[in-house]
Amino acid sequence: MTEAAFYDFFLWSWIGLGAAILVVLFFVTAPYGRHAKRGWGPRMPATLGWVVMEAPASLGFLAYYLVSDRRGEPVSLALLVLWELHYADRAFLFPFRRRSPGQTTPVLIVASAVFFNFCNTYLNGRWLFTLGPERPVSWLADPRFVAGTVLFVVGLVTNRWADNVLFRLRRDAGPGYHVPKGGLYRFISCPNYAGESLQWLGWALATYSLGGLTFAVWTLANLLPRAVSNHRWYKKTFPDYPPERRAFVPFVW
């Protein structure tokens, strides 16, 4: 089997698995963060877990770029920068800003995330830098790339802003969980998840690839059920939680 044939088989299998995961996670909440619970096997420090989970995506995508004949080309470099704006932060900065001393996470969750990141990085990095069509520099002015990049940046800024609100809340109000307020938190419980989903929808458009679309599907499969679970948790934990807030989409859901 050629790598191109393997890639196609793996791509469609991965899309199908992502759709199944979307359904499962509406019934089974992943046991980390505020939903942590015992019974999921050995645990490890949460900060270390974040680094181990996210580093393969940052380093793997960079490796696919560096071994490619397309390294240094404007489109390849632009896509590398977009990817690393998210994953270099997620792997090497975000974990140390979370202010969660003593918190642990199941090794099983970390291992699952590592597996996902290896697979997702292969589907995107290998296609964009080797297997897929080579994009001319004119792609940088294509409406699909421009619109996708705008969506990506808006999603990235939204995600970082929402995370910073949570960081400041924990710093100012003390350890534990509190009700965030202001900005998009007036309308939805999880603007961080909504922003990240918007990022990868933008990525799918900017790359105009099935690998990018698959990533968007998996992002929604993971974050949409998580947002619903967090929203229910807020309402259950805080009796005065604003009733007008939705979980993921303002005024809708």
Side-chain angles (χ1 to χ4, degrees), residues 42-123:
R43 305 178 71 85
M44 64 188 295
T47 298
L48 176 60
W50 267 101
V51 175
V52 172
M53 284 191 296
E54 306 293 3
S58 176
L59 300 178
F61 199 79
L62 177 61
Y64 286 126
Y65 171 81
L66 292 176
V67 301
S68 169
D69 292 336
R70 302 175 191 176
R71 63 183 180 276
E73 294 182 0
V75 174
S76 295
L77 185 58
L79 294 174
L80 174 69
V81 168
L82 287 179
W83 183 280
E84 295 296 350
L85 279 174
H86 177 84
Y87 272 114
D89 175 79
R90 282 298 182 194
F92 306 116
L93 297 176
F94 176 83
F96 302 99
R97 300 173 58 218
R98 294 178 63 248
R99 297 178 181 270
S100 55
Q103 195 173 69
T104 61
T105 191
V107 172
L108 178 61
I109 294 295
V110 174
S112 298
V114 169
F115 175 71
F116 166 79
N117 279 325
F118 270 116
C119 294
N120 187 55
T121 301
Y122 170 77
L123 288 173

Side-chain angles (χ1 to χ4, degrees), residues 50 54 58 80-95 97 151-169 184-185 190-200:
W50 267 101
E54 306 293 3
S58 176
L80 174 69
V81 168
L82 287 179
W83 183 280
E84 295 296 350
L85 279 174
H86 177 84
Y87 272 114
D89 175 79
R90 282 298 182 194
F92 306 116
L93 297 176
F94 176 83
R97 300 173 58 218
L151 288 177
F152 186 95
V153 172
V154 170
L156 178 70
V157 170
T158 300
N159 176 263
R160 298 283 173 80
W161 169 83
D163 281 343
N164 285 336
V165 169
L166 297 178
F167 293 150
R168 288 194 299 269
L169 186 60
L184 280 173
Y185 281 108
C190 300
N192 48 345
Y193 294 162
E196 187 168 344
S197 298
L198 186 62
Q199 274 184 253
W200 299 115

Side-chain angles (χ1 to χ4, degrees), residues 119-158:
C119 294
N120 187 55
T121 301
Y122 170 77
L123 288 173
N124 282 271
R126 191 66 176 156
W127 177 262
L128 293 174
F129 300 139
T130 302
L131 298 176
E134 188 171 344
R135 304 285 189 181
V137 68
S138 60
W139 180 252
L140 297 177
D142 187 283
R144 291 164 292 184
F145 178 83
V146 173
T149 300
V150 170
L151 288 177
F152 186 95
V153 172
V154 170
L156 178 70
V157 170
T158 300

Side-chain angles (χ1 to χ4, degrees), residues 34-49:
R34 74 196 66 204
H35 305 289
K37 54 186 175 182
R38 298 295 172 180
W40 285 74
R43 305 178 71 85
M44 64 188 295
T47 298
L48 176 60

Side-chain angles (χ1 to χ4, degrees), residues 2 59 170 247:
T2 64
L59 300 178
R170 183 165 292 185

